[in-house]
Amino acid sequence: MSPQARRNSVFHTSIPDAGCAIDRNIPDFPIAQLSDEEKYFRTYKAPPYLDEIEEEVRKFIDYHATHTGKRVALITSGGTTVPLENNTVRFIDNFSAGTRGATSAEYFLENGYAVIFLYREFSLLPYSRHYSHTTNCFLDYMTESNNKVEINPDFAHEMLIILRKYKKAKDSNSLLVIPFTTVNQYLYTLRSIAILLQKVGSKALFFLAAAVSDFFLPQSRMPQHKIQSQSTGKLIIDLEQVPKFLRRLVDNWAPSGMIVSFKLETDSSILIDKAKTALDRYQHQLVIGNLLQSRKKEVVIVAPNDQSHSIKLSDREVKENLEIESLIVPEVAEHHEKWISDHIKNEQES
Ligand code: PMT
């Protein structure tokens, strides 16, 4: 039996009913102005561990700036949560498993990048994603022989290849993993890392694959303890809009880095327009559009000056388990190469 056939049949309970998707034709939120940013960071507290994260990130960036000269990709991955209570029992979440981010991280590493992987804690991680609970139980990769646990020979070759890549990333100090859970932690950490990445200038690449919440419950209105059942039988939650921080990233936090954002839609007829609008609004370098239903097989890459094209896996490529990120990442790296050389030219001219 092939390794593939041995895998358990998987019921994807997380795939939503597209017929129930919300109407994404409604206009986008206003972009965050400087005053929104100041207000946000004045009003909501930084995570208590932020200084420690900044220290780790600083060391990582200094190491690569001094010793390897590698380009540094900040990849954001997974979904942000919105807690409804301070002692959080309940929270609002979204579907993202972090597949796009974790998979892309591996290809960025293969393309010579140092990677800072800002991910939703417990979502997929580069390399270990191949053996995660979402694909199979890790024990299915083991077998017993002479009272010892061994790797099942069906998986051994594939695992060796992944193990070598993982070790290479680790031994060369090329992968730094930083977690977040809430949207507040995400925003604070993103801002801190972006500011620290200014040290490598145009060699910084932002690959924003995380699914970031558009609404949140301000700390001032958050109950301390678990919300109790209401006598009315209803719970009404009044959420605030999260400012769109992408513009702040482009203008203030990462003025020299190349920024790639993702646009997620469920209606194919508006995807390209929405991606172009995002590029126009935020004035960054690339938008990768994807549909919830087909995101693993097809994306559209939208660049300034109305340039757009699709990357699509054929049925054969899907069957052969080709990952679309193996095509997306080299293309993004090529754009980044040009971004860096344009920067060098501009510096020489000025
Ligand atoms: O993890 P997987 O299961 O593999 O799924 C991958 C993915 C579908 C989540 C990924 O490919 C993707 O599309 N990620 C972006 C999803 C998203 O948040 O899209 P959006 O249309 O809501 O936001 C567009 C952009 O605005 C994003 O770059 C986001 O970082 C930014 N944003 C969003 C909210 C907010 N308050 N401020 C922002 O700046």
Side-chain angles (χ1 to χ4, degrees):
M1 210 184 285
S2 75
Q4 203 55 37
R6 289 172 63 98
R7 296 197 169 173
N8 297 340
S9 56
V10 182
F11 298 100
H12 287 293
T13 53
S14 59
I15 295 175
D17 173 0
C20 301
I22 60 162
D23 180 2
R24 299 286 297 190
N25 276 307
I26 53 168
D28 270 330
F29 298 141
I31 53 183
Q33 304 299 323
L34 207 52
S35 54
D36 297 329
E37 174 193 334
E38 278 164 7
K39 190 167 158 221
Y40 183 93
F41 289 110
R42 231 188 8 244
T43 314
Y44 306 112
K45 274 194 270 169
Y49 55 75
L50 192 64
D51 288 351
E52 284 166 62
I53 285 190
E54 286 178 354
E55 197 41 45
E56 274 200 40
V57 173
R58 186 175 295 112
K59 274 195 224 146
F60 185 81
I61 293 171
D62 284 351
Y63 174 80
H64 287 288
T66 314
H67 298 290
T68 70
K70 282 185 179 183
R71 298 172 208 164
V72 185
L74 170 64
I75 300 176
T76 69
S77 182
T80 59
T81 69
V82 175
L84 300 182
E85 298 132 342
N86 255 320
N87 294 305
T88 309
V89 174
R90 302 187 184 93
F91 54 87
I92 300 173
D93 203 351
N94 70 62
F95 73 94
S96 171
T99 315
R100 173 83 76 223
T103 312
S104 303
E106 290 181 19
Y107 291 108
F108 274 110
L109 286 158
E110 273 177 40
N111 278 267
Y113 279 78
V115 169
I116 301 174
F117 189 66
L118 177 60
Y119 83 113
R120 161 74 178 279
E121 192 171 0
F122 308 125
S123 70
L124 294 178
L125 282 165
Y127 305 113
S128 74
R129 74 182 170 101
H130 298 274
Y131 307 103
S132 92
H133 58 283
T134 61
T135 45
N136 220 334
C137 169
F138 75 96
L139 291 171
D140 290 329
Y141 297 94
M142 314 288 179
T143 186
E144 189 184 331
S145 163
N146 298 328
N147 265 340
K148 280 190 184 150
V149 175
E150 285 180 358
I151 302 295
N152 181 332
D154 286 343
F155 301 106
H157 180 66
E158 179 193 305
M159 204 179 264
L160 179 66
I161 294 171
I162 294 165
L163 179 71
R164 282 181 180 154
K165 288 179 182 171
Y166 169 66
K167 288 266 182 217
K168 189 175 168 199
K170 246 183 118 173
D171 295 347
S172 60
N173 186 28
S174 297
L175 175 62
L176 179 67
V177 168
I178 304 284
F180 65 81
T181 296
T182 67
V183 65
N184 187 55
Q185 292 166 345
Y186 171 84
L187 290 174
Y188 264 101
T189 316
L190 175 67
R191 182 178 70 157
S192 289
I193 299 175
I195 291 169
L196 289 166
L197 273 170
Q198 288 177 7
K199 175 154 191 174
V200 293
S202 60
K203 278 190 178 177
L205 173 75
F206 293 78
F207 192 80
L208 305 173
V212 183
S213 176
D214 285 327
F215 300 98
F216 76 119
L217 184 63
Q219 273 155 359
S220 59
R221 288 204 258 119
M222 207 183 281
Q224 180 72 3
H225 293 291
K226 183 177 170 235
I227 300 169
Q228 298 299 309
S229 308
Q230 310 289 305
S231 54
T232 57
K234 287 183 184 170
L235 172 64
I236 296 166
I237 302 168
D238 185 9
L239 299 176
E240 294 283 319
Q241 199 173 290
V242 178
K244 282 276 186 192
F245 277 99
L246 202 47
R247 186 54 175 269
R248 300 273 54 88
L249 181 69
V250 176
D251 287 351
N252 305 98
W253 306 345
S256 312
M258 175 169 154
I259 296 172
V260 182
S261 75
F262 278 80
K263 188 79 204 135
L264 176 67
E265 292 299 339
T266 54
D267 175 356
S268 60
S269 68
I270 60 170
L271 179 64
I272 296 189
D273 268 359
K274 285 278 187 172
K276 284 184 178 166
T277 308
L279 207 55
D280 231 41
R281 282 160 71 90
Y282 303 116
Q283 296 287 304
H284 54 306
Q285 288 69 49
L286 280 184
V287 176
I288 303 182
N290 53 177
L291 290 171
L292 184 64
Q293 311 84 317
S294 61
R295 66 190 190 280
K296 294 188 178 164
K297 296 190 289 200
E298 186 173 4
V299 298
V300 53
I301 305 225
V302 180
N305 304 326
D306 259 358
Q307 295 172 46
S308 70
H309 72 277
S310 297
I311 299 182
K312 189 175 179 178
L313 297 182
S314 65
D315 291 345
R316 187 176 54 80
E317 288 171 327
V318 172
K319 253 196 212 135
E320 288 170 354
N321 294 326
L322 188 78
E323 296 177 310
I324 194 162
E325 291 79 7
S326 70
L327 306 177
I328 298 172
V329 168
E331 186 165 332
V332 170
E334 224 174 90
H335 277 273
H336 191 204
E337 176 86 56
K338 180 157 185 329
W339 172 259
I340 295 168
S341 59
D342 285 353
H343 262 254
I344 294 170
K345 246 188 259 158
N346 286 345
E347 272 165 15
Q348 283 164 351
E349 279 165 19
S350 62

